[in-house]
């Protein structure tokens, strides 16, 4: 008889776990999570230049109407830079991101190598995100034709 009661108790417990579906609350409440992924493209002609004394950088402001006050106050927002967008070898890196760049230049007909760091980071507000680009050598102050390349980003909001 004990054995039968034990088997019935285990079966009831198993059925109880199998039928449990969790809370059915409002979206974003009671442990349920909403999310939205937004693709952001900043083309080369869309970068703006800060032109501030001793603090020059490029930036692009993108309107994100889905970024509401509720998501800003209660959600989690992550921004990633995506490389090779639309290809089978695409990859992404979370911002802020620092990339180390090596480039050749010529002095007296001899190739030299220069190095700098490029920093890409994001700042968001209700309704928008701003992407910043800053190179550690500030060479764009000397080369006024420099503009960062077009960049693709993915913004993930969870609330």
């Amino acid at each position: 008889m004990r054995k039968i009661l034990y088997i019935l108790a285990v079966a009831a417990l198993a059925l109880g776990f199998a039928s449990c579906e969790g809370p059915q609350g409002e979206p974003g409440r009671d442990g349920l999570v909403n999310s939205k992924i937004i693709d952001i493209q900043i083309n080369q002609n869309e970068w703006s230049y800060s032109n501030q004394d001793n603090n020059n950088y490029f930036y692009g402001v993108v309107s994100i109407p889905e970024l509401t006050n509720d998501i800003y106050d209660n959600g989690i927002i992550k921004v990633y830079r995506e490389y090779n967008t639309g290809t089978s070898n695409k990859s992404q890196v979370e911002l802020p991101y620092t990339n180390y760049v090596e480039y050749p230049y010529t002095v007296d007909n001899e190739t030299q190598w220069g190095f700098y760091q490029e920093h890409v980071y994001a700042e968001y507000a209700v309704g928008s995100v701003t992407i910043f680009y800053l190179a550690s050598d500030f060479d764009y102050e000397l080369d006024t034709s420099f503009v960062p390349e077009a960049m693709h980003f993915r913004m993930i909001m969870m609330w």
Side-chain angles (χ1 to χ4, degrees), residues 10-72:
V10 169
L13 188 60
L15 284 174
F17 282 129
S19 65
C20 189
E21 293 183 19
Q24 297 294 320
E26 297 175 26
R29 308 255 187 264
D30 301 324
L32 301 176
V33 176
N34 291 317
S35 65
K36 178 141 183 100
I37 299 173
I38 299 172
D39 286 301
I40 299 168
Q41 177 73 26
I42 299 181
N43 295 313
Q44 211 168 16
N45 65 339
E46 295 172 323
W47 288 107
S48 297
Y49 186 59
S50 67
N51 202 22
Q52 297 178 8
D53 290 339
N54 300 318
N55 190 21
N56 294 322
Y57 53 86
F58 286 91
Y59 63 97
V61 180
V62 179
S63 175
I64 309 287
E66 299 92 340
L67 180 45
T68 64
N69 199 43
D70 184 49
I71 295 172
Y72 178 89

Side-chain angles (χ1 to χ4, degrees), residues 72-118:
Y72 178 89
D73 287 339
N74 303 306
I76 297 171
I77 299 169
K78 299 282 190 175
V79 181
Y80 300 83
R81 181 174 178 189
E82 186 174 65
Y83 293 90
N84 304 313
T85 302
T87 69
S88 62
N89 62 338
K90 64 185 175 186
S91 63
Q92 58 187 3
V93 61
E94 186 175 0
L95 300 186
Y97 174 64
T98 300
N99 187 30
Y100 300 92
V101 180
E102 178 179 38
Y103 63 95
Y105 63 96
T106 305
V107 174
D108 296 330
N109 291 326
E110 187 176 320
T111 300
Q112 304 288 319
W113 291 93
F115 304 91
Y116 67 93
Q117 298 172 355
E118 62 180 8

